[in-house]
Structure formats: C-alpha cells, structure tokens
Amino acid sequence: MRGRTPRVRRQAAASHGTYAALVLATVGALLAGLGVWWIARTDAAGREDDAGPSGRGHGLPGNAASGALPEGPCAPTEELEPRCGAWWGAYVPYAPGGSLTEAVYAFEKKIGRRLDLVYNYHDMSDTPLDGELLTADEQELGRDRLLMLAWESTVWTEPHHAGWTETQLGWKNIASGRYDRDVIDPQARRIKAYGKRLFLSFDQEADFRIKEGAGTPEEFVAAYRHIHDRFEELGVTNVVWVWTVSGYLGHAEQMERLYPGDEYVDWIGMDQYNYYLCHKSPNWLDFDRSQRPSYDWLREHISGGKPVMLAEFATAPDPLQPRRQRDWYARIPETAPTMPRVRALVQWNRPVPGAGCDLTVNTGPGLEGYREAGRAAYFRQPVPGR
C-alpha cells in the first residue's frame, strides 16, 4: 500500500539494529558486485539447497501441490480465475512476535471464515525474514489457501517494511540481468519447488514508484518481462502473473506505458480506497464509487479480457457516522457482481500513518460489515489444492 496524494512518504532514515545492517550490507554487496552471497548446494537426494548470506541452508520449500482439482462449472481456470464468484482475501500484518500464521489465524477467527487468499509482501534482500519468497509461514497458510506474493525491487530498512523506508535496486538493473544469479533465480527455484500455483506481482503500484526513483515506464516493462522470461527459462510453471497499478486516474498516461502486454499478464490488479478524512478528502466514496471508475478505465484502456483483482481495498472510518464503515463493507456482495471481471478482493488490514487512517477491520462497525460481506455465497468458491 503506497498511498495516493498526499502520499505515505518513504523518507531516507538512518539504519539501526542488526536487520538494517544486514540488508544494507546485502545491497552494498549487490550494487558493488562483490562476492556471491547465494550458494547453491546439492543434498544427498540430488535436490538443490539454498544457503543465504550467512552460509546457512534454509532449504527449498516442500511441494505443496496436493489433492484433486475442483471440478464442475464453478471450478477455477488454470489462471486461478473462479468462474462463479470471486476470491475473498486480505493482507494481514505479521503478529507482534513475528508470526504470519498467528496473525492470519487470529484474523480469520474474528471474521468467522477462512480466507481464500492471503496477500504478503517481500523485498529483494534475499534475507529469510523478508526477501525469501515462500517462508515457512506462507507454506503453512498455502496448504488451504491461495497465496499472493508482492515482490518489490527494493531492500527494506526495517523488518516487514515497518517504517516504509527502502533502497531502490532500479528497474534497468533488473532488466539487465544483474540480479539474476543472486536474487531472481533463487526465488524462482523456490517457487518452482513449491509446486502449487500462486499469484505473483512484481512492483505493485509501479505508477507511484516512478517518482521514487525506480526508473521509467519503459524500464519497468523491460524488468517485468525479464523476470517473467527468466522464470520461464527456469521451468517455473506455477506462477499466475499479476500486473498491479494503483488505479489512480491521475496516472492514466503512466499506467498505459507501464503495461507489459497481454502475453505477460494473467490478471490486472488495482489498489483503490475510500480514504475520506485520512487524506483530507471531503467526499465519502461508497464501495462502488471508490472502485468502479478505475475498474472501467482499466478494462477500456488496458485489457477488457483479463480478470481483475482488487489487490488492496479498504475504507477509512467516518467518526461522525460510524455505521458508514459497516455499510461500506456489507454492501460489497451487491456491487461486486456488477463488475463481473473482478474475481478477487483483497482487504488491506493495516493502518497507515496519519489522522483517521485506521483502515483495519479488527473491531467495531468495520469488522461487523466485513464479516457480513464474507458470508455471501459469491465469495465461497472452491480453492484448488494445487
């Protein structure tokens, strides 16, 4: 979640603690081209094991593909598009102790159902904490749920991007193959070993990353295509590719230039909110008004045939009319079918800096409305086990 105007600022900050030292040292080594901090080893069974900067092998994920594929008219497609409704998902921050599973299980208990889709974010540090795609927690959650991994071309300063500060690696550097051996290839192999299909988004909200120094739209397209093609070269066939932009229509020209092409994209993602007082907007936008303009524009100007993921959505509260937040969520089942290419909805359950910016549904009217929406049959689709 990278905000709209005014933006959540990602100001440079002094590094602190062992995590900051580790990731910044890693970036320094990458940018200077010093050494190799990823070592591929082969175990007794002939399978590659991965060793990180410390030389410890964290191992490849076990194959999670199991069980029969759903059958019948509502079975999802090969690209994980549900035919009879939409996936119901959320981004849930890590628990204070650092467990993602604990956080997701607690959230599911609150909302009274299992999520179809769990969304999580990673940087390109290749550290086990944030840079390793398919952590142990993600693998556990992925047994009964779909995973959506957002992979940022940055290295974060704090664990789990707590302070929103980061170092850009640069799209042109990624497109050149500079990070293939040490970053792209190891994570591609991990996903391949996992086996089960998952969603992968490279640099979500790329339209906002341009002014942050990531590069030009043309460099993004080259980087996106390079990662896609590199995965194909390594035989990774279980990725469903999601191209995610903010959907902010003030960036229409940039978004058109950022599109890699239909042959590189399986789903289109967008991140739109009802910020209301959070960003000092005088207008309350219900779910329909907050989503439909960007949905219609993407379908007309980018691709009318691709399924659409509301990769982040939420509403700020109205302190004078608390019931508004409940109704905003509770009415989603009425509105979602009128945007029939929307096939996944992922709630952003994390507050952002600023007054009135608690976008969570952990308590009160927001939780009540979100629980009600999640009971709708439209969001009860068979989740594939592989």
Side-chain angles (χ1 to χ4, degrees):
M1 186 277 184
R2 303 178 75 84
R4 305 298 171 269
T5 305
R7 298 265 289 117
V8 174
R9 301 297 179 187
R10 303 195 174 197
Q11 301 167 340
S15 62
H16 57 84
T18 58
Y19 179 83
L22 172 60
V23 296
L24 293 178
T26 299
V27 173
L30 284 169
L31 296 179
L34 301 176
V36 177
W37 45 265
W38 183 284
I39 304 168
R41 300 186 303 177
T42 302
D43 61 19
R47 192 176 73 170
E48 279 192 339
D49 237 12
D50 301 324
S54 66
R56 299 185 309 257
H58 352 132
L60 292 172
N63 193 307
S66 63
L69 290 172
E71 296 180 347
C74 291
T77 67
E78 186 70 19
E79 290 75 31
L80 295 178
E81 179 183 351
R83 290 187 170 96
C84 299
W87 305 125
W88 193 243
Y91 160 63
V92 183
Y94 286 81
S99 169
L100 182 61
T101 52
E102 179 184 331
V104 170
Y105 295 152
F107 182 73
E108 290 178 333
K109 185 175 181 180
K110 286 181 182 178
I111 66 173
R113 61 160 291 167
R114 178 186 293 161
L115 293 168
D116 298 324
L117 186 157
V118 171
Y119 196 175
N120 200 26
Y121 296 76
H122 292 271
D123 68 2
M124 285 190 170
S125 64
D126 183 46
T127 59
L129 184 63
D130 284 314
E132 188 172 273
L133 302 187
L134 291 165
T135 63
D137 278 7
E138 288 170 340
Q139 292 174 61
E140 178 179 332
L141 293 167
R143 292 173 188 163
D144 303 309
R145 302 161 190 81
L146 297 170
L147 296 176
M148 165 71 167
L149 306 181
W151 199 14
E152 299 194 359
S153 63
T154 61
V155 171
W156 301 337
T157 306
E158 308 90 5
H160 309 319
H161 220 178
W164 309 98
T165 60
E166 59 196 18
T167 299
Q168 301 281 346
L169 298 186
W171 291 330
K172 67 179 180 181
N173 294 324
I174 291 170
S176 74
R178 182 173 182 176
Y179 299 119
D180 285 358
R181 183 186 63 185
D182 295 334
V183 179
I184 308 300
D185 293 2
Q187 303 313 320
R189 293 188 185 102
R190 292 184 62 78
I191 291 175
K192 181 179 179 180
Y194 179 67
K196 184 175 179 178
R197 288 171 294 168
L198 54 77
F199 295 104
L200 180 65
S201 175
F202 169 65
D203 265 349
Q204 81 288 353
E205 296 194 19
D207 49 311
F208 272 114
R209 296 177 188 271
I210 295 169
K211 64 181 179 182
E212 294 177 351
T216 67
E218 292 72 25
E219 289 168 343
F220 169 79
V221 168
Y224 183 108
R225 290 177 176 177
H226 178 79
I227 292 175
H228 179 283
D229 292 345
R230 191 67 189 155
F231 273 50
E232 283 198 346
E233 290 170 13
L234 294 173
V236 184
T237 60
N238 55 312
V239 167
V240 175
W241 296 91
V242 186
W243 174 77
T244 308
V245 287
S246 72
Y248 171 55
L249 297 183
H251 289 176
E253 187 268 340
Q254 294 100 310
M255 288 191 290
E256 287 190 278
R257 292 169 59 199
L258 286 162
Y259 190 57
D262 281 354
E263 66 272 30
Y264 286 90
V265 174
D266 297 312
W267 285 60
I268 289 173
M270 61 179 243
D271 301 347
Q272 282 292 290
Y273 294 79
N274 173 39
Y275 279 121
Y276 194 45
L277 300 179
C278 169
H279 281 180
K280 300 181 180 179
S281 169
N283 300 316
W284 175 270
L285 304 177
D286 62 18
F287 179 78
D288 184 88
R289 291 178 63 205
S290 69
Q291 306 299 316
R292 192 178 299 276
S294 298
Y295 167 81
D296 287 343
W297 184 89
L298 288 166
R299 300 242 317 129
E300 180 179 354
H301 294 274
I302 302 298
S303 176
K306 301 291 183 183
V308 174
M309 179 183 295
L310 306 186
E312 296 174 11
F313 77 92
T315 180
D318 180 346
L320 298 181
Q321 301 183 61
R323 187 176 177 84
R324 266 183 157 182
Q325 190 181 30
R326 177 205 172 278
D327 292 345
W328 196 93
Y329 286 107
R331 291 173 181 163
I332 290 176
E334 302 172 16
T335 304
T338 70
M339 295 183 282
R341 296 308 291 148
V342 171
R343 292 301 194 182
L345 297 87
V346 184
Q347 197 269 342
W348 169 275
N349 200 53
R350 179 178 175 180
V352 297
C357 291
D358 185 357
L359 302 173
T360 69
V361 291
N362 291 325
T363 59
L367 174 59
E368 183 183 346
Y370 187 75
R371 280 177 59 95
E372 182 176 335
R375 289 196 291 264
Y378 197 73
F379 304 124
R380 296 282 183 172
Q381 302 305 315
V383 177
R386 55 189 175 93

